[in-house]
């Protein structure tokens, strides 16, 4: 047997070693990227997981009619804005003994979130029959109490260095011993808009703002992108003009997104006077940004449809438009949709252009339409990350988790659509 | 043998040509691919275009149904008549023209749709069938003419691309037949097929020529000799010689033809 066909021969051994080495380089590269990903995700989840729980305090509230609704009007607006503080204080002093002085009373009241009384007001307005009765109600605890319950405040450090004093901790222990303080699933995070108080802040407003922006973005970018791609690829003659357009589309795809934001500011807001801070303008700006991505992806998909399919249809006497819309576009559709969804996913994570058009405002209300002022998920993350309150740290991570969940969902959609529509018979 | 040759030659001269090409030049940009070709295509006959690769025979074939229009840089000069009408006349609708002159390509290119839909597409876009039953009978008729019906009758809803190579090519022939053309252009229809599938298609062409005029481009001189009545030999963009197949293969006039069919060029 000749030596060179044995794997032990010098030349072969070298070749095998090279192959092995290359495989290991590849594995190392994958390992490093996955390690980064795992590190990022675990850091975010580790920080954000606790935000999905919120500490609540149970109090036996006596809904005294004399205090809440002395005029017996039962007007929901009045009920919402009634003075619930004395009632809450009464309930608190029933549970915690020895608070008689005004200072103590104010201090113990701070265990609850400032939003607790609003929740009570909402509850009464919704159900006025409760007046005159007593009921056990779970009320939002303040952010400091929440952090303490989650073990994020160390009671052993000097009292001067923490906002939660020893006295507060003593009261918390009393509530705890009676089973009146508990961590519950944080519904506020998913049901309310932004707030200055971390325990009252939610991402619903931002999520809906993002949804409306993406809706506007999709409605503009998808038809424009697909039609542009189809025209350029199937109809337009190759000449100086189409080359020029192509170069510009490629350039647009590489323009930093903040530039689109400035464009939106100067054209849509200042020139067309569209409403500031709204998903309408946000969506238009995002669509400008997504458009080149969709066009480029769609064109490359159209280019990959074999010419033989076009020949077959044309040879049968189908017109150009019939060929395109009966055969080429349906075959390209899954790829076009994938490109669109990936572009939209990028738009969902976009922050900079939205800052320019004022979607960075502090907005408590949940937007009801595309012309209501709104913010968006990534901007909300930006805003919370910037907030000094400690309670926003975990909420920032929670918002990131939600944003990532949406992104993963959109990408899964793209994969599903591609698999589903790939070949339609 | 001699007797038969005389009859076909006689037939050729009597039947009026269904298509005529006069002084056709084709340019790709500045490059001239075809120069000054004149050829008559006799009705209900098979005309074979032979020649070495790159000699322009496919380009010339694609002039007959104006498929070259789809290539931006391609320009055709000269005159090609179909039933007396110049097909490059601006008044001619290329869509209607292609429904009269069908085409079968080198690589079988069924649509990624069901077998039925593949054949039904042509009649549908040209409005040839009034009812669903009409359409169905056109599809079945076409599949039968293409000799495919018996093999696929129980799976018309299966994808056309699931068929074998030879069956796919016959499906493409059925698809071309379904719009009831007068002329069928075939661009090396058997070059990707095995000898058995090739033989089936050659037999098919033999029966098809009773109803259709066929122009076939082929690499295989044997195939040209087997199936065609008229043969045209192309070399370097020129039509070197054309005429009765028997005569071309047994007694070519031009030296280049002689060299090609004896295997010395090409």
């Amino acid at each position: 047997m000749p030596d060179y066909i044995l794997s032990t021969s010098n030349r072969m051994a070298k070749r095998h070693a090279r192959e092995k080495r290359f495989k290991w380089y590849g594995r190392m590269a994958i390992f490093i990227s996955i390690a980064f990903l795992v590190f990022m995700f675990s850091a975010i989840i580790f920080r954000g997981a606790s935000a999905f729980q919120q500490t609540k305090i149970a109090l036996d509230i006596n809904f005294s009619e004399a205090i809440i609704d002395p005029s017996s009007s039962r007007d929901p607006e009045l009920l919402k804005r009634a003075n619930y503080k004395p009632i809450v204080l009464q309930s608190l002093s029933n549970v915690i003994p020895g608070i008689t002085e005004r200072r103590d009373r104010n201090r113990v009241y701070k265990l609850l979130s400032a939003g607790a009384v609003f929740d009570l007001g909402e509850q009464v307005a919704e159900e006025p029959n409760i007046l005159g009765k007593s009921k056990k109600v779970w009320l939002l605890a303040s952010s400091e109490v929440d952090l303490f319950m989650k073990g994020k405040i160390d009671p052993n450090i000097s009292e001067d260095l923490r906002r939660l004093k020893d006295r507060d901790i003593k009261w918390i222990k009393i509530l705890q011993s009676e089973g009146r303080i508990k961590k519950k699933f944080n519904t506020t995070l998913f049901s309310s808009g932004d707030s200055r108080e971390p325990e009252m802040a939610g991402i619903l407003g931002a999520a809906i703002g993002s949804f409306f922006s993406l809706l506007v973005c999709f409605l503009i970018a998808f038809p424009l992108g697909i039609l542009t791609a189809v025209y350029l690829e199937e109809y337009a003659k190759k000449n100086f003009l189409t080359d020029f357009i192509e170069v510009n589309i490629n350039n647009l795809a590489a323009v930093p997104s903040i530039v689109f934001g400035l464009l939106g500011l100067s054209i849509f807001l200042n020139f067309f006077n569209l409403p500031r801070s709204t998903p309408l303008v946000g969506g238009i700006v995002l669509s400008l940004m997504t458009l080149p991505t969709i066009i480029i992806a769609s064109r490359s998909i159209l280019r990959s449809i074999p010419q033989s399919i076009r020949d077959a249809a044309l040879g049968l006497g189908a017109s150009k438009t019939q060929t395109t819309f009966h055969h080429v576009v349906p075959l390209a559709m899954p790829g076009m949709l994938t490109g669109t969804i990936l572009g939209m996913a990028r738009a969902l994570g976009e922050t900079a252009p939205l800052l320019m058009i004022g979607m960075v405002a502090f907005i408590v209300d949940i937007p009801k339409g595309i012309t209501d002022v709104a913010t968006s998920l990534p901007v909300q993350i930006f805003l919370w990350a910037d907030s000094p309150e400690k309670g926003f740290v975990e909420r920032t991570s929670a918002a990131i988790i939600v944003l990532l969940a949406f992104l993963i969902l959109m990408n899964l959609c793209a994969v599903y659509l591609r698999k589903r529509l790939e070949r339609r018979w | 043998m001699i007797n038969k040759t005389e009859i076909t030659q006689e037939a050729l001269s009597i039947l009026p040509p269904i298509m005529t090409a006069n002084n056709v030049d084709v340019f790709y940009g500045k490059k001239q691919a075809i120069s000054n070709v004149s050829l008559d295509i006799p009705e209900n006959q098979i005309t074979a275009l032979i020649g070495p690769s790159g000699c322009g025979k496919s380009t010339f074939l694609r002039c007959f149904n104006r498929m070259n229009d789809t290539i931006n840089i391609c320009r055709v000069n000269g005159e090609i008549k179909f039933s007396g009408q110049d097909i490059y006349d601006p008044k001619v609708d290329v869509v209607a023209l292609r429904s009269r002159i069908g085409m079968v390509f080198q690589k079988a290119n069924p649509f990624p749709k069901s077998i039925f839909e593949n054949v039904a597409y042509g009649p549908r876009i040209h409005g040839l069938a009034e009812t669903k039953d009409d359409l169905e009978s056109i599809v079945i008729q076409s599949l039968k003419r293409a000799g495919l019906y018996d093999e696929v009758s129980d799976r018309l809803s299966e994808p056309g691309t699931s068929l074998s190579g030879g069956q796919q090519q016959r499906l493409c022939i059925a698809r071309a037949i379904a719009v009831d053309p007068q002329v069928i252009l075939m661009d090396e229809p058997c070059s990707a097929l095995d000898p058995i599938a090739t033989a089936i298609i050659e037999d098919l062409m033999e029966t098809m020529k009773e109803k259709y005029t066929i122009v076939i481009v082929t690499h295989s001189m044997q195939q040209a000799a087997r199936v065609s009545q008229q043969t045209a030999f192309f070399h370097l963009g020129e039509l070197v010689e054309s005429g009765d197949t028997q005569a071309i293969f047994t007694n070519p006039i031009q030296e280049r033809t002689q060299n090609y069919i004896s295997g010395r060029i090409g």
Side-chain angles (χ1 to χ4, degrees):
Chain A
M1 199 185 286
D3 173 58
Y4 56 83
I5 69 164
L6 294 175
S7 60
T8 49
S9 81
N10 216 356
R11 258 170 63 196
M12 283 297 143
K14 253 186 181 164
R15 223 158 92 173
H16 283 291
R18 197 177 296 156
E19 207 169 305
K20 236 181 194 163
R21 215 158 48 225
F22 181 75
K23 270 194 207 160
W24 273 106
Y25 290 155
R27 284 180 195 148
M28 292 270 284
I30 292 173
F31 175 77
I32 291 171
S33 9
I34 287 182
F36 273 121
L37 267 183
V38 167
F39 179 70
M40 188 185 87
F41 277 110
S42 48
I44 291 169
I45 290 171
F46 179 72
R47 276 180 195 210
S50 56
F52 292 100
Q53 285 196 317
Q54 166 67 38
T55 307
K56 292 198 170 180
I57 296 173
L59 291 177
D60 297 304
I61 302 284
N62 176 22
F63 293 95
S64 156
E65 195 169 358
I67 298 172
I68 299 169
D69 193 16
S71 59
S72 292
S73 69
R74 299 286 153 107
D75 178 5
E77 283 306 307
L78 282 180
L79 291 177
K80 267 187 205 173
R81 272 181 283 137
N83 185 11
Y84 290 93
K85 191 173 173 184
I87 301 176
V88 174
L89 271 178
Q90 185 56 47
S91 312
L92 273 171
S93 52
N94 288 347
V95 184
I96 301 167
I99 39 168
T100 44
E101 273 183 52
R102 217 177 107 92
R103 271 183 55 202
D104 285 346
R105 286 159 68 93
N106 276 341
R107 188 75 208 170
V108 81
Y109 186 64
K110 286 271 161 64
L111 289 180
L112 288 171
S113 160
V117 288
F118 297 118
D119 287 348
L120 274 179
E122 293 278 338
Q123 206 174 337
V124 174
E126 217 167 82
E127 201 183 346
N129 293 332
I130 208 168
L131 285 176
K133 291 176 197 152
S134 248
K135 197 185 169 194
K136 189 175 181 180
V137 182
W138 285 95
L139 293 170
L140 271 179
S142 75
S143 181
E144 291 295 318
V145 175
D146 187 43
L147 288 171
F148 176 77
M149 288 297 288
K150 286 170 181 167
K152 294 194 175 174
I153 291 177
D154 182 3
N156 297 323
I157 59 168
S158 161
E159 198 178 6
D160 300 336
L161 293 176
R162 48 190 153 90
R163 287 166 77 180
L164 204 67
K165 304 299 177 194
D166 287 342
R167 204 167 32 153
D168 301 324
I169 293 174
K170 197 181 75 194
W171 290 333
I172 291 173
K173 294 275 192 247
I174 293 171
L175 288 168
Q176 224 167 358
S177 65
E178 291 200 23
R180 285 181 180 276
I181 189 160
K182 257 189 194 145
K183 284 185 283 182
K184 298 195 155 198
F185 181 69
N186 190 356
T187 49
T188 317
L189 184 66
F190 297 102
S191 64
S192 52
D194 200 4
S195 170
R196 290 283 180 230
E197 310 296 332
E199 73 276 8
M200 288 165 66
I203 52 164
L204 185 66
I208 295 206
S210 271
F211 170 77
F212 281 135
S213 302
L214 282 190
L215 186 73
V216 172
C217 171
F218 177 80
L219 289 179
I220 296 173
F222 182 69
L224 281 185
I226 300 288
L227 288 175
T228 308
V230 168
Y231 183 81
L232 284 178
E233 208 51 50
E234 302 293 323
Y235 290 86
K237 291 214 159 60
K238 299 269 167 286
N239 56 26
F240 173 73
L241 189 65
T242 48
D243 283 348
F244 182 71
I245 291 172
E246 174 151 12
V247 167
N248 276 291
I249 289 171
N250 290 334
N251 280 342
L252 276 184
V255 166
S257 55
I258 194 144
V259 176
F260 287 106
L262 285 168
L263 179 88
L265 174 65
S266 62
I267 296 191
F268 301 126
L269 295 186
N270 292 346
F271 187 73
F272 287 111
N273 280 320
L274 291 174
R276 184 174 292 269
S277 307
T278 55
L280 174 66
V281 180
I284 296 174
V285 170
L286 290 178
S287 72
L288 290 181
M289 227 193 66
T290 318
L291 207 49
T293 316
I294 295 180
I295 294 172
I296 292 169
S298 301
R299 285 188 73 179
S300 81
I301 296 293
L302 285 170
R303 231 170 284 157
S304 73
I305 304 292
Q307 181 62 31
S308 65
I309 292 292
R310 295 183 184 90
D311 283 347
L314 290 173
L316 277 177
S319 68
K320 185 96 197 163
T321 308
Q322 283 172 328
T323 305
T324 304
F325 287 97
H326 292 172
H327 299 287
V328 180
V329 171
L331 284 173
M333 206 31 113
M336 291 180 176
L337 279 177
T338 311
T340 306
I341 292 175
L342 294 181
M344 303 273 295
R346 232 190 84 196
L348 172 64
E350 202 52 69
T351 325
L354 302 182
L355 302 184
M356 287 293 109
I357 55 146
M359 283 184 87
V360 69
F362 172 71
I363 291 149
V364 178
D365 290 330
I366 290 159
K368 292 190 179 60
I370 56 169
T371 51
D372 286 352
V373 287
T375 176
S376 75
L377 273 175
V379 176
Q380 189 69 74
I381 291 167
F382 170 74
L383 284 170
W384 283 355
D386 224 19
S387 297
E389 286 89 352
K390 217 178 162 191
F392 277 123
V393 173
E394 55 175 22
R395 277 171 176 74
T396 306
S397 295
I400 295 173
I401 293 173
V402 172
L403 180 65
L404 286 177
F406 275 126
L407 286 176
I408 290 170
L409 201 70
M410 284 175 83
N411 288 336
L412 283 180
C413 262
V415 172
Y416 174 77
L417 274 176
R418 198 170 45 207
K419 288 261 178 286
R420 175 85 206 279
L421 297 174
E422 205 144 44
R423 289 222 165 219
R424 232 179 0 183
W425 305 109
Chain B
M1 194 68 194
I2 293 161
N3 202 13
K4 195 185 165 195
T5 311
E6 272 172 8
I7 290 167
T8 39
Q9 263 174 338
E10 205 178 320
L12 277 174
S13 56
I14 291 169
L15 283 164
I18 184 163
M19 297 197 84
T20 54
N22 278 324
N23 307 355
V24 173
D25 297 314
V26 181
F27 298 87
Y28 289 117
K30 288 204 171 99
K31 189 179 165 283
Q32 185 160 14
I34 297 278
S35 45
N36 200 23
V37 172
S38 300
L39 184 69
D40 288 352
I41 307 294
E43 193 166 5
N44 290 12
Q45 299 276 334
I46 299 177
T47 303
L49 311 182
I50 61 169
S53 296
C55 67
K57 53 196 189 302
S58 285
T59 300
F60 183 62
L61 184 78
R62 288 165 65 95
C63 291
F64 284 118
N65 66 345
R66 292 182 55 178
M67 276 304 273
N68 285 332
D69 290 14
T70 60
I71 301 164
N72 276 332
I73 55 166
C74 184
R75 192 160 48 85
V76 179
N77 289 347
E79 181 190 63
I80 295 178
K81 280 186 169 169
F82 170 59
S83 300
Q85 168 68 49
D86 181 5
I87 63 169
Y88 282 87
D89 190 313
K91 277 184 289 185
V92 168
D93 186 335
V94 69
V95 167
L97 175 77
R98 289 187 192 137
S99 74
R100 308 307 307 138
I101 304 172
M103 189 156 197
V104 176
F105 296 85
Q106 178 171 9
K107 196 173 154 277
N109 53 357
F111 298 128
K113 296 182 178 195
S114 71
I115 294 171
F116 183 90
E117 283 303 316
N118 259 288
V119 184
Y121 181 69
R124 213 173 254 157
I125 58 170
H126 294 298
L128 297 183
E130 304 248 308
T131 64
K132 235 179 144 183
D133 290 343
D134 279 357
L135 187 65
E136 214 172 296
S137 67
I138 291 177
V139 170
I140 291 170
Q141 179 80 15
S142 308
L143 284 169
K144 276 183 179 157
R145 286 216 182 111
L148 190 61
Y149 186 68
D150 294 337
E151 291 160 58
V152 300
S153 59
D154 53 343
R155 46 180 179 142
L156 290 179
S157 58
E158 278 179 34
T161 43
S162 69
L163 299 172
S164 73
Q167 287 173 326
Q168 284 190 22
Q169 196 58 291
R170 276 181 284 151
L171 178 62
C172 292
I173 293 173
R175 185 175 65 185
I177 291 173
V179 291
D180 196 30
Q182 281 166 277
V183 181
I184 296 176
L185 310 174
M186 295 184 165
D187 192 354
E188 296 179 34
C190 303
S191 65
L193 302 182
D194 64 69
I196 294 168
T198 303
I200 294 172
I201 289 189
E202 284 177 7
D203 287 347
L204 177 64
M205 287 164 68
E206 193 60 36
T207 54
M208 275 166 66
K209 80 169 202 278
E210 286 162 23
K211 201 162 181 308
Y212 311 100
T213 305
I214 296 175
V215 185
I216 177 173
V217 165
T218 176
H219 264 307
S220 151
M221 283 177 282
Q222 289 85 344
Q223 185 171 52
R226 279 194 301 266
V227 301
S228 70
Q229 285 75 54
Q230 185 189 225
T231 297
F233 170 59
F234 283 75
H235 190 226
L236 301 175
E238 287 169 34
L239 176 61
V240 177
E241 191 173 351
S242 70
D244 179 73
T245 299
Q246 210 89 41
I248 291 261
F249 280 100
T250 52
N251 195 13
I253 299 161
Q254 298 287 330
E255 202 190 331
R256 280 198 280 176
T257 318
Q258 174 68 51
N259 287 344
Y260 181 69
I261 60 174
S262 58
R264 261 172 284 179
I265 54 170

